Amino acid sequence: MDTFTPWTIVVDLGIISALMLLGKLIRVKVKGIQRFLIPPAVLAGIMGLVLGPEVLGWLPLSGSLGTYAGILIAFVFAALPFTSTSKAREVAKVKRMWGYSQGGMLLQWGFGGLLGILLLGQIWPLNDSFGITMPAGFCGGHGSAAALGDAFAGFGQDEVLTLAMTSATFGIICSIVIGLIFLRIGTKRGYSACLTEAEKLPEELRTGVVEKANRKSIGEGIFSTISVSTLTFNLSVIGLVVLGGYLISKGVSRVAPMLELPVFSCSYIVGILVKFVCDRTKVTEYVCPETSSSLSGMFTDYLVAFGIASIKISVVSQYLVPMLILLFAGLIFTACYIYIAAKYIFKEYWFEKAMFSWGWFTGTMAMGMALLRIADPDSRSHCVDHYAIAYIFIAPVEIALITFAPIIFTSGYGLLFSSIAVVIGLSLMTYMIHNKKRSKE
């Protein structure tokens, strides 16, 4: 399709939707896919990449798939403020989880940035931003990869989107494949406080199909359908937030052309403000957190599929060797951190929390929860509860990293940015370890 029209979107969406259904069928039926818990959205994206214009050319996908990912991430972040039901009074219980997670995120960003600038950039002609495509794809997943790529595209570095998406795809597969190996080793060595065997995966986890008796509602029917669908109302709120984020982004770029604020970060800020107003006016009771979360999940699934399908093979092949070095070095660094830091920071259930963190630091929170479900089937560690509160304070830092990294790196301050991230990350890690020792005395 040479000319882009509204029907181009329909065709692209229809093809990716068909691949998503095929990916789900494969997940349900193929034992090998079940063993590694590969999400249908990832399978759909890989099939779209292979069968699309980049490789075989069998599917008439347009060249706008990367643009869709940039738009969808704005909807994902716009929905975030409306998905949380956590209470601030629980923050004291999650101090260690916050320090551990925040420190790990900053160290990963700093490590990637320094590796790219000080080593890889000295061997190959790479942009300073090359190294941070690893943490953006690993710790942030395809969402952060899309956001970072979209932001760097505004500065003329279009290849960042493909590199970050490749990192995210590589990471999400390694998160489960290597995570399962860690689980087996950990249980055999007695690290786990919850398991004696990590070989058996629950049927629900393997196929991704919830048994009828365990199924939950994806949202509460707040409005009468004769008035407006609850789904429509929640989607309208999110759509309004995205519009606000878009207008702010464009307004800032018009006033200060050198300051490119991504739409996703502006949408997140607008979402917080709208949520605050809703709380004050008691409108919040009409915005269903479960429905907003379901919509966010839907946006994320399509973002992953579109993002992987939009990977440019020519770009990957051009940067293949330094990319492989960056990705494998990132895996080794992350594995060392989750093992050492978790063991010395947490008082109990350190292995279970390390497994959750491995899934999150290399893939997505969903991958972390999948590994935790295996390591801690009865939720004795309360890891997710702690993380849910901690993420309230982690999210702004993550968004700030993705928002300002493109501006800082293209301005020539990437080395300073990476060094500061390492210093803060190490400081948090040291403080948490010292705090644990002091609490024993």
Side-chain angles (χ1 to χ4, degrees):
M1 286 179 257
D2 298 326
T3 305
F4 184 87
T5 70
W7 284 106
T8 305
I9 301 175
V10 175
V11 173
D12 288 340
L13 182 63
I15 292 174
I16 290 297
S17 296
L19 294 178
M20 198 88 75
L21 293 172
L22 180 58
K24 183 58 188 174
L25 179 64
I26 294 172
R27 172 66 181 269
V28 172
K29 297 296 183 181
V30 179
K31 300 295 183 182
I33 298 297
Q34 291 177 9
R35 183 176 180 81
F36 296 114
L37 309 180
I38 300 176
V42 172
L43 296 175
I46 293 173
M47 288 187 286
L49 176 63
V50 175
L51 302 177
E54 277 296 313
V55 183
L56 298 177
W58 294 353
L59 297 177
L61 290 167
S62 75
S64 301
L65 302 185
T67 304
Y68 301 154
I71 295 172
L72 285 167
I73 188 58
F75 278 84
V76 171
F77 276 85
L80 276 181
F82 304 98
T83 61
S84 176
T85 57
S86 303
K87 303 299 181 183
R89 65 175 180 268
E90 299 173 301
V91 170
K93 301 178 182 178
V94 296
K95 181 179 179 181
R96 293 185 189 281
M97 177 59 77
W98 168 77
Y100 169 75
S101 301
Q102 191 71 85
M105 174 189 289
L106 290 169
L107 284 172
Q108 198 180 71
W109 273 80
F111 174 79
L114 293 178
L115 181 62
I117 295 171
L118 298 180
L119 178 60
L120 301 179
Q122 303 302 314
I123 303 173
W124 290 276
L126 306 171
N127 288 322
D128 286 354
S129 57
F130 180 82
I132 61 171
T133 59
M134 179 270 290
F138 275 17
C139 200
H142 290 86
S144 294
L148 190 78
D150 191 52
F152 269 106
F155 293 97
Q157 297 187 23
D158 297 331
E159 75 280 1
V160 171
L161 177 62
T162 285
L163 297 176
M165 283 293 180
T166 302
S167 296
T169 305
F170 178 86
I172 203 171
I173 294 174
C174 288
S175 67
I176 289 297
V177 175
I178 299 178
L180 290 174
I181 295 174
F182 286 163
L183 274 169
R184 293 189 183 96
I185 294 174
T187 51
K188 287 180 180 178
R189 293 187 177 182
Y191 296 154
S192 176
C194 305
L195 290 179
T196 56
E197 181 183 5
E199 296 293 335
K200 296 179 181 178
L201 301 179
E203 181 75 11
E204 175 184 317
L205 198 62
R206 288 191 296 104
T207 64
V209 178
V210 180
E211 291 292 332
K212 194 169 184 177
N214 298 326
R215 293 174 188 172
K216 299 178 181 179
S217 172
I218 62 172
E220 184 179 0
I222 297 173
F223 300 101
S224 167
T225 53
I226 200 173
S227 168
V228 63
S229 167
T230 300
L231 192 65
T232 302
F233 182 84
N234 281 266
L235 183 58
S236 298
V237 172
I238 295 171
L240 178 64
V241 169
V242 173
L243 175 62
Y246 175 80
L247 293 175
I248 290 176
S249 175
K250 293 304 176 184
V252 170
S253 64
R254 179 169 296 183
V255 175
M258 294 300 293
L259 186 60
E260 288 280 344
L261 291 182
V263 176
F264 86 91
S265 57
C266 294
S267 298
Y268 180 73
I269 294 171
V270 173
I272 292 175
L273 294 176
V274 172
K275 178 68 162 55
F276 176 78
V277 173
C278 289
D279 289 342
R280 291 289 181 175
T281 57
K282 297 184 179 180
V283 175
T284 302
E285 62 179 290
Y286 303 110
V287 182
C288 177
E290 290 78 13
T291 301
S292 297
S293 181
S294 297
L295 286 169
S296 179
M298 179 188 70
F299 297 141
T300 301
D301 284 338
Y302 277 101
L303 184 155
V304 170
F306 280 124
I308 296 174
S310 70
I311 291 174
K312 304 296 182 185
I313 299 298
S314 58
V315 174
V316 175
S317 61
Q318 180 183 352
Y319 295 96
L320 183 59
V321 176
M323 195 71 187
L324 287 175
I325 295 174
L326 176 68
L327 295 179
F328 280 104
L331 286 178
I332 294 171
F333 175 83
T334 304
C336 292
Y337 178 81
I338 65 116
Y339 176 82
I340 296 172
K343 194 169 185 178
Y344 286 98
I345 289 176
F346 296 114
K347 293 183 177 181
E348 55 184 7
Y349 300 108
W350 72 267
F351 180 72
E352 288 73 17
K353 292 170 183 176
M355 287 297 93
F356 170 80
S357 300
W358 170 260
W360 175 48
F361 281 167
T362 57
T364 63
M365 187 176 70
M367 294 296 100
M369 292 179 69
L371 288 173
L372 183 66
R373 174 76 183 277
I374 303 169
D376 182 14
D378 299 320
S379 300
R380 288 163 55 187
S381 65
H382 298 289
C383 179
V384 175
D385 299 332
H386 297 165
Y387 174 81
I389 308 297
Y391 192 72
I392 295 173
F393 304 93
I394 294 170
V397 177
E398 183 177 16
I399 292 171
L401 288 170
I402 302 168
T403 300
F404 295 108
I407 300 172
I408 295 171
F409 272 82
T410 53
S411 299
Y413 296 102
L415 183 60
L416 178 62
F417 172 95
S418 303
S419 300
I420 291 174
V422 168
V423 170
I424 297 175
L426 286 175
S427 298
L428 275 173
M429 179 180 171
T430 304
Y431 171 75
M432 288 299 162
I433 293 174
H434 176 70
N435 184 261
K436 176 187 175 183
K437 291 179 179 178
R438 188 174 58 184
S439 65
K440 284 183 177 180
E441 297 173 354

